[in-house]
Amino acid sequence: MRLATKQLFNDAYGKYGIAAFNIFNTEQILGVFRGAAKAKSPVIIQITPVARNYIHPEILDNILAATEKRYPDVCFTIHLDHGDSIHCIDAIKSGCYNSVMIDASHETFKKNVQITREIVNRAHNEGIAVEAELGVIRGVEDRFSVEKKMAYCTDPEMALEFVEHTGCDSLAVAVGNRHGTYKLSPGQGLQLGLLARINSLLPGFPLVLHGASSVSAIEVERINRAGGKLSSEAKGLEKKEILQAIRLGVCKINIATDLRLLWTRVHREFFQNSPAAFDMTIPGLEYMDCLEQLVSEKCMDLIISNANNCPDETP
Ligand SMILES: [Zn+2]
C-alpha cells in the first residue's frame, strides 16, 4: 500500500523512525519488502540516480509496481535519493515517486535555497514531497565525494531560514553523520546538542539522518576472513544515538551501507566455501533471506513507543 510521505512522517514523528533503504537490484527490493512485511512496519524504498540508471528507470519502476501488488499490506513510499535538478524533474515526471531529495548542499546558501525552491514548486504541483539538505554530509554517496575541506555541519538558524524560504517538507542535516563504512572517528558520535538546537527552532518539522548504518564489526570481520580488505576501523552509528535522534525530530533514517556489507559478506563467503560453484541463485536466495532479517530488525530497532503500525490510508 503506497502512502504519501507526509502521512508517514506525521504518524512517525517523535514515536519511531522510518527506515529508508537504498536498493540497487531486484534481490534488494524483495528483501526490503519481505523484511517490512515481517516487522509490519512502514518503509521507504530509496533510489539514487545511479541505482535508477543501473537497470533502467522504466524497468525499475515496473519491478517496484509488480512488487507492490505482491505485497499489498506493506506500507511504503518511493523516494529519489540525492538528486540534482535534472534527476528530480525526471523523477517527478515519471509519476513513480512519492518524494524526491534535491541535494544542492554543495552550493552557496542562496543558490541552495533557489534550486530547492524551484524543485519544491514543481513537486508540490504533482503532490510529491521534497527533502532538501543543508550542511554537507561527508563521505561517499555513489560516485559523489565531498572533499573534507568543504565539510560543514548544519547551522540551526540557517536551517530555520532555509525551511521558511524553500517550503521543503523535510531536511537532511549534517550533525556528525557520514556516508560510507567509516562514519565516526573513535570517541566521536552524533552531535546531539546541535540536533537538539535545530529541533528547537523547527519543532514538529521532520528531519532526516543520512549515513545511519550501524556497520556491524562482525560483518566486517566475516568479509575480511573471506578475502575482503575493509578497514577494521569501519564504524557506524549506535542504536541509542539513533533513538536519541528520533526523539529530536528525525523521522527518516537512511540505511545503505549495511545492505552493501551484507551483500558482500554473503557472496564472498559463498564463493570462498564453494569455489566450484557458479550459480547466482544460491547466494541470491541467501542474501534475500538475510536481508529480510536485517530489514525487520532495523525497523523494530527504530521504535520509541509502541506505535510502529501502518497508518490508515487517507481516503
Ligand atoms: Zn545520503
Side-chain angles (χ1 to χ4, degrees):
M1 184 197 307
R2 196 94 85 92
L3 297 177
T5 306
K6 224 169 185 170
Q7 193 182 350
L8 286 183
F9 286 172
N10 284 344
D11 194 71
Y13 195 89
K15 292 182 286 189
Y16 62 92
I18 305 166
F21 295 105
N22 282 81
I23 58 91
F24 290 84
N25 62 19
T26 310
E27 289 88 341
Q28 289 188 309
I29 293 170
L30 290 173
V32 171
F33 270 84
R34 282 168 48 181
K38 189 173 183 178
K40 294 186 169 53
S41 173
V43 74
I44 296 171
I45 302 289
Q46 186 155 268
I47 303 165
T48 62
V50 168
R52 190 161 154 72
N53 290 311
Y54 172 60
I55 305 176
H56 183 282
E58 201 179 330
I59 296 172
L60 182 60
D61 294 342
N62 278 290
I63 292 171
L64 284 164
T67 311
E68 181 177 359
K69 283 185 191 161
R70 180 81 179 78
Y71 294 91
D73 294 333
V74 172
C75 298
F76 72 102
T77 65
I78 298 180
H79 175 76
L80 178 77
D81 190 28
H82 287 285
D84 61 17
S85 291
I86 293 168
H87 300 133
C88 286
I89 291 168
D90 190 47
I92 292 165
K93 281 183 181 167
S94 77
C96 297
Y97 288 76
N98 301 94
S99 56
V100 295
M101 178 195 188
I102 175 69
D103 182 359
S105 59
H106 49 287
E107 302 281 1
T108 62
F109 180 81
K110 193 178 166 190
K111 187 84 178 162
N112 190 355
V113 168
Q114 182 196 334
I115 292 170
T116 302
R117 180 74 235 173
E118 284 171 14
I119 294 300
V120 166
N121 287 341
R122 280 178 180 263
H124 284 185
N125 279 340
E126 305 297 329
I128 294 169
V130 177
E131 175 184 326
E133 180 174 326
L134 184 66
V136 175
I137 298 160
R138 290 176 289 167
V140 176
E141 181 78 22
D142 285 334
R143 288 158 202 164
F144 173 68
S145 178
V146 180
E147 292 296 320
K148 200 174 178 181
K149 64 183 178 186
M150 280 185 64
Y152 62 93
C153 287
T154 304
D155 178 89
E157 278 76 22
M158 286 170 83
L160 174 62
E161 193 183 339
F162 184 84
V163 169
E164 285 176 350
H165 282 74
T166 61
C168 64
D169 302 283
S170 60
L171 185 67
V173 289
V175 289
N177 45 323
R178 295 181 63 144
H179 293 121
T181 52
Y182 188 68
K183 299 188 177 300
L184 300 165
S185 302
Q188 288 184 339
L190 282 184
Q191 295 182 40
L192 293 168
L194 177 60
L195 189 59
R197 176 75 182 137
I198 296 168
N199 178 234
S200 72
L201 292 177
L202 288 165
F205 187 80
L207 303 174
V208 178
L209 192 63
H210 283 237
S213 284
S214 59
V215 188
S216 156
I218 296 167
E219 289 293 296
V220 171
E221 194 191 323
R222 286 176 72 171
I223 288 168
N224 288 343
R225 265 208 308 262
K229 280 192 177 173
L230 295 182
S231 167
S232 57
E233 301 280 296
K235 193 175 184 309
L237 296 187
E238 292 182 18
K239 179 183 165 182
K240 64 181 179 188
E241 292 180 295
I242 295 176
L243 287 174
Q244 280 288 74
I246 294 167
R247 289 189 182 94
L248 294 171
V250 168
C251 281
K252 177 170 172 272
I253 312 289
N254 284 15
I255 300 168
T257 299
D258 284 344
L259 278 66
R260 295 178 183 190
L261 289 175
L262 182 66
W263 185 92
T264 306
R265 190 264 291 168
V266 166
H267 289 82
R268 276 199 177 279
E269 286 186 346
F270 174 75
F271 287 109
Q272 188 182 54
N273 296 333
S274 313
F278 53 94
D279 182 347
M280 67 187 77
T281 65
I282 300 172
L285 285 167
E286 189 184 339
Y287 178 61
M288 285 191 280
D289 286 346
C290 292
L291 185 54
E292 174 185 330
Q293 188 62 24
L294 180 145
V295 165
S296 68
E297 285 173 5
K298 290 273 182 197
C299 290
M300 300 307 288
D301 278 351
L302 301 179
I303 303 171
I304 289 178
S305 65
N306 189 22
N308 204 16
N309 297 316
C310 182
D312 294 332
E313 193 174 11
T314 306

